[in-house]
Amino acid sequence: MTRGAWFSVFMGAGCLSAAILVALAFPETRNKAARDESTRDDDDGDQPENSPSLRLFRCAGLRAWSKLALKHATTSVRSYFWDDKRLGLLLFSLIFTSLGKFISVILMQYTTKRFHWSWSEVRRPMSDMPIFRDEPVAKYPRRLYYRQSALL
Amino acid sequence: MNLALVAALLPLVSQLLLLKLGLSPLVKDLFFVRASILVLTIGALGIGLAQNSFALVASLMVFALGYGYSPAMRSLLALLAGHRSIGTLFTAMSVLETTGTLVAGPLMAYTFRTGLAWGESWTGLPFITASILLSCAAVIVFSIRLQN
């Protein structure tokens, strides 16, 4: 049954609203003792209004605060990338993976060009993977179904 | 499929590795990261080289199995960072991911245009490029050794 393009937009908006409600209802899972400990140790932690950097910003102004922020950033970069090479390498690999995962953006365009599917046909395999379904082929574009049935 | 993967398959394998095989959370996360980057690389290459719809859908399924990469990587990095400030670590991760995304758009567009210019069989060039980039990440991930 065809319902038009707006139906999927409203469905998406409805699901997103439900997800927000569920997320808002999540209970606090972090141990309170651990949280208190981390706010004592960590100046960029959970209570920004009490952080030393914000106190400095209020007292000494933007220039001193910028110097402190730059110093903090330099220390962090050195700490993550130089002092712990293993951590630095893993962080560096994130550049490649975000580059690689960007392919989903042109996937539909590629499929329409290469296999001459229509845009509505393309949406199905992108959003509805058949790994846990019993009837994958019948749900897919006619072209695929025909090709598979020709093999039988 | 992503829902089934995140809600059922990954937690199941995770519990299996932790409880049955007795692996530590660090080793378990590294296992997930390695497995995910491997399927992402193979999936992207498969999409790029697919000659028919069946190969494309099969490769898409393989690629989608790597969906757990990001959560596993975040968990691994947080465990490796230990007591150091997690907020700064996650900021660094976001900065690097955003850098990658900034480069990715023009790069993918360029490779797609080049592939189209080279002919129909090269239309999958962006996916082959993505596979090469993912294999660079795979080399890094597989070279990581955990200390006892």
Side-chain angles (χ1 to χ4, degrees):
Chain A
M1 190 167 66
T2 308
R3 287 197 175 96
W6 282 105
F7 177 74
S8 34
V9 174
F10 291 134
M11 275 286 286
C15 290
L16 192 64
S17 310
I20 290 169
L21 287 176
V22 171
L24 287 173
F26 278 166
E28 174 60 58
T29 52
R30 199 175 170 197
N31 190 329
K32 192 173 181 307
R35 191 170 62 224
D36 293 344
E37 186 72 22
S38 82
T39 45
R40 264 203 305 278
D41 293 346
D42 193 354
D43 62 0
D44 62 351
D46 297 340
Q47 294 175 327
E49 67 273 11
N50 294 328
S51 70
S53 61
L54 206 62
R55 279 203 300 273
L56 185 75
F57 179 70
R58 283 186 190 132
C59 299
L62 185 66
R63 196 166 176 168
W65 179 80
S66 309
K67 273 186 183 172
L68 183 77
L70 189 68
K71 192 181 165 192
H72 186 72
T74 315
T75 313
S76 299
V77 167
R78 201 178 54 226
S79 159
Y80 287 132
F81 288 95
W82 190 252
D83 295 346
D84 191 343
K85 303 247 178 356
R86 193 174 49 173
L87 194 64
L89 272 172
L90 278 176
L91 278 170
F92 184 66
S93 76
L94 289 174
I95 294 181
F96 295 113
T97 47
S98 29
L99 275 166
K101 283 195 286 185
F102 202 77
I103 61 169
S104 55
V105 175
I106 56 163
L107 195 57
M108 286 201 288
Q109 210 172 350
Y110 163 70
T111 318
T112 50
K113 283 268 182 201
R114 180 83 184 259
F115 301 103
H116 310 291
W117 292 4
S118 72
W119 285 88
S120 58
E121 280 179 326
V122 171
R123 275 312 302 170
R124 285 205 85 113
M126 307 301 155
S127 59
D128 185 26
M129 295 288 184
I131 194 162
F132 298 122
R133 289 176 181 272
D134 295 323
E135 70 299 348
V137 178
K139 294 194 73 169
Y140 277 150
R142 233 172 276 145
R143 190 170 293 109
L144 170 62
Y145 179 67
Y146 287 148
R147 282 188 186 174
Q148 283 218 326
S149 54
L151 296 172
L152 299 172
Chain B
M1 184 184 148
N2 286 343
L3 183 67
L5 190 72
V6 176
L9 189 64
L10 290 179
L12 198 73
V13 177
S14 178
Q15 289 302 308
L16 199 76
L17 292 174
L18 286 173
L19 301 176
K20 295 280 178 195
L21 298 180
L23 298 181
S24 71
L26 200 64
V27 177
K28 184 259 298 177
D29 282 333
L30 187 63
F31 172 82
F32 270 121
V33 167
R34 283 177 175 173
S36 302
I37 197 72
L38 206 62
V39 292
L40 283 173
T41 309
I42 294 167
L45 190 66
I47 294 167
L49 298 177
Q51 293 296 317
N52 52 46
S53 309
F54 182 75
L56 174 76
V57 174
S59 305
L60 276 173
M61 285 165 62
V62 172
F63 189 77
L65 283 173
Y67 189 73
Y69 177 82
S70 290
M73 183 54 124
R74 277 174 197 278
S75 174
L76 179 67
L77 286 169
L79 283 170
L80 280 175
H83 294 296
R84 276 177 287 180
S85 52
I86 295 294
T88 317
L89 175 74
F90 276 33
T91 308
M93 287 165 70
S94 295
V95 168
L96 287 165
E97 282 176 340
T98 311
T99 310
T101 312
L102 278 174
V103 183
L107 182 73
M108 288 294 135
Y110 175 75
T111 49
F112 193 44
R113 205 168 50 239
T114 310
L116 285 174
W118 286 357
E120 199 180 333
S121 54
W122 284 99
T123 324
L125 189 63
F127 299 93
I128 297 166
T129 311
S131 173
I132 293 167
L133 292 169
L134 286 167
S135 61
C136 291
V139 168
I140 292 174
V141 166
F142 276 89
S143 69
I144 295 296
R145 293 280 173 269
L146 296 175
Q147 292 146 355
N148 290 325

